[in-house]
Amino acid sequence: MKEDTPYLEIEGGFELSGEVRVSGAKNAVLPVLAATLLVPGIYRLARVPRLLDLYTMLELLEYLGASFRWEEDLLVVDTQRVEGWEAPYALVSRMRGSILVLGALTARFGRARVAKPGGCPIGPRPVDLHTRGLALMGARVEDQNEIWVEAPQGLRGAEIVLDFPSVTATENLLMAAVRARGRSRIVNAAREPEVEFLGRFLEAMGAKIRGLGTGVLEIEGGRELTPPSEPVTIIPDRIETGTYLMLAGLCGGEITVAGTEPQYLEAPLLKLREAGLEVEWEADRVYARATGPLRPLKVVTAPYPGFPTDLQAQIMVLLTQAHGISRITENLFKERFRHVPELQRMGADIEQEGGIAFVRGPTPLRAAEVKAHDLRAGASLVLAALAAEGVSRVYGLEHLDRGYEALEEKLRALGARIRRRREESFAAGRPSWAARGG
Ligand code: EPU
């Protein structure tokens, strides 16, 4: 059997300059798609990024009975015939975000079953905050190999305090609360822009929510909900924005990111300035360029508005070029450092102890064959390969493709030499004498 392993071939060491337009945010479209399960109807979404994770979510919706079609750039989702309430392992194991259907299915059908995914490349991903919140809303919960939630009488409003402002737990509980009877309060809610956007989407469906964008959400449940009358446009991807901005420091040119919302990127933008990049922004665009040597940083990942964990791997690459020792503390996913050994193979001087990495720079990066073990690690390896002189190969594209739309095209427009290739596996490509057993 012929087996192909795709990889990116990247010839690095060239200056990159120009403008890149960001796509809609992966982590905004996923919860909104889950929210289409709340009430049967036809939903129209604009600026939907065509990503592997998007298609996995659409597959899950189809499995539950929904259908979808593209009307040019508009994604039209029809949930009128949804009857399913179970998310199978095959889909959940491909994408953790599948957990987002838990709240909406429970709210709509009074029950839900979501398989529990196995290990995750960025460390443990418990869902106790999701299930405890639903239990407080009156559901019976079993959390073993799969998550069973039952609320035959429907959910009722509740006061819930989250031990940690989890993004998807807040989203699940928000979706559940808009259909629950009575008022709910979610205290220590996640404040990420994607959570706020889901709230706005629910408001466009008729929900009443106070405190969006703050840590306390108040929801008046049980109001009549209908699909938004107008198409809803997905907000720009702030992580994609931040990823491209790193290039200004790594490849020496001037990078403009267009179609973005800089107000949601303050922590990363200010950190880039602190590192010595010239960074300016206006309504919907950000400019960045390097004007001198980079300075080392202390970076601590934290829930929004802190520095996002989803940019930790990318800024680590940038800091390999800073003059001095940087310290990166990963607080959200303590094992999210699988890019470190790969970056070390490219010449980076990084020491990792538990959830902290020390990066000593500057070290010239050299081309190598490396493998992405998760999405953002993949982005960091692409950045490193673009900065390294010579030809690198980045494997593990099944991770990168989950979250970066048209990555190669966008980078090529900035002048990058990057191509997607396929490699025959050793077994498939072995010489004929080997096949004959000789
Ligand atoms: N946590 C718990 N119990 C829970 C839920 C979370 O202890 O029930 C802990 C986690 O173990 C972790 C921390 O809370 O230490 C933060 O996790 P959070 O729940 O906020 O993350 P998430 O909702 O699972 C979303 C994004 C991630 C992003 C994180 C943090 C989506 C679909 N995923 O995940 O995105 O890293 O928030 O901002 O929105 C990515 O895009 O690459 C990605 C991983």
Side-chain angles (χ1 to χ4, degrees), residues 26-28 30-31 96-97 99-100 122 124-131 164-169 171 190 192 194 238-239 303 308-310 331-334 336 374-376 402:
K26 165 177 92 70
N27 291 345
L30 297 179
R96 289 266 159 175
I99 189 71
L100 281 164
I122 63 179
R125 306 277 294 267
V127 290
D128 54 303
L129 300 173
H130 306 236
T131 51
F164 184 90
S166 157
V167 173
T168 49
E171 291 168 343
E192 269 70 2
E194 294 77 17
R238 61 197 167 96
I239 305 303
T309 171
D310 291 343
N331 277 328
L332 277 93
F333 301 110
K334 295 229 183 298
R336 199 177 206 178
D374 84 80
L375 167 59
R376 308 303 171 186
R402 288 185 39 220

Side-chain angles (χ1 to χ4, degrees), residues 221-273:
R223 289 168 61 101
E224 196 196 333
L225 303 178
T226 51
S229 48
E230 298 292 320
V232 172
T233 302
I234 305 300
I235 52 170
D237 197 316
R238 61 197 167 96
I239 305 303
E240 192 194 7
T241 303
T243 302
Y244 287 119
L245 288 175
M246 304 291 168
L247 290 170
L250 283 166
C251 299
E254 195 172 322
I255 301 290
T256 301
V257 180
T260 190
E261 290 182 353
Q263 74 270 28
Y264 292 124
L265 271 152
E266 272 200 291
L269 295 180
L270 295 176
K271 278 289 168 195
L272 292 182
R273 265 193 189 161

